[in-house]
Amino acid sequence: PRDGAALKPGTRPYDRSWMRDGAMIAEGLIRLGAVEEAAQYLEWYAPYQFDNGKVPCCVDSRGADPTPENDSQGEFIFLVAEVWRATRDEALLRAVWPRVVRTVAYMDELRASQMAPNAAPSRRHLYGLMPPSISHEGYSARPAFSYWDDFWALLGYKEAVELARALGDADAVRRFSASRDAFR
């Protein structure tokens, strides 16, 4: 359901807008021709981004939730790319572009936290992954590595490269491509 521009995955008792759900609902809306509603959601959610580039996992009447869920960043960039592909609204893309750049920098920072050069051999398989988070309700007591965090980060990097190309930002294409390629 919609609550103004907010997209919510459930009924009134589930009164939050989650980036994960909102990005996928927006994709569905675009496929159904409701492009303006998807763009309105992007414009509504984007200002809730934290100054350090973190995208909140959800927003409710209290504002942005700072819970460490590391999939939100990639989902946000995916949302921007989906809206861009559907609208080709360059003014909107330029308006949210600084947020995309900050989001990529935040993802790089998160991944760098797992790149300790002196890591124990038993932890080297985690090198460059997104750090543990509570990106699933079952992990709230103890953060864990979540492959969907890495999936969304990788997709976010891919989409950020596409958006940088659309804007002709060659420097961002190089930087974002290097971050994306580090996952391979």
Side-chain angles (χ1 to χ4, degrees):
R2 284 185 79 198
D3 182 3
L7 300 176
K8 297 179 179 179
T11 58
R12 290 182 309 227
Y14 198 70
D15 199 21
R16 293 178 143 186
S17 180
W18 294 82
M19 177 46 58
R20 179 183 311 120
D21 299 323
M24 291 187 281
I25 292 168
E27 177 190 24
L29 288 170
I30 289 168
R31 290 177 185 225
L32 293 171
V35 174
E36 185 167 324
E37 289 82 352
Q40 289 170 351
Y41 178 68
L42 169 61
E43 291 175 297
W44 173 79
Y45 205 99
Y48 287 103
Q49 182 183 38
F50 295 97
D51 291 340
N52 66 352
K54 175 184 173 68
V55 175
C57 61
C58 63
V59 174
D60 62 20
S61 60
R62 296 168 296 178
D65 188 325
T67 301
E69 293 198 17
N70 296 332
D71 55 339
S72 302
Q73 285 64 234
E75 293 154 357
F76 174 74
I77 299 170
F78 168 77
L79 171 63
V80 173
E82 285 291 299
V83 169
W84 162 250
R85 283 188 286 269
T87 65
R88 296 298 177 180
D89 184 340
E90 190 170 332
L92 176 56
L93 178 55
R94 287 194 183 282
V96 297
W97 180 244
R99 295 183 184 285
V100 170
V101 172
R102 284 198 311 271
T103 303
V104 170
Y106 184 72
M107 290 191 310
D108 287 344
E109 180 182 315
L110 289 174
R111 289 184 54 238
S113 73
Q114 300 303 306
M115 296 183 182
N118 299 324
S122 63
R123 295 193 50 83
R124 288 199 179 123
H125 65 287
L126 304 173
Y127 188 90
L129 295 179
M130 296 296 277
S133 75
I134 63 167
S135 294
H136 182 278
E137 292 78 10
Y139 297 160
S140 61
R142 194 181 96 207
F145 286 94
S146 303
Y147 290 124
W148 55 82
D149 290 348
D150 299 306
F151 164 78
W152 283 108
L154 181 58
L155 182 59
Y157 284 126
K158 176 189 166 291
E159 300 288 29
V161 170
E162 180 182 326
L163 296 169
R165 284 190 179 121
L167 291 174
D169 188 336
D171 181 53
V173 168
R174 281 189 297 280
R175 286 180 302 147
F176 300 167
S177 294
S179 293
R180 178 201 61 205
D181 294 346
F183 260 117
R184 296 181 185 183

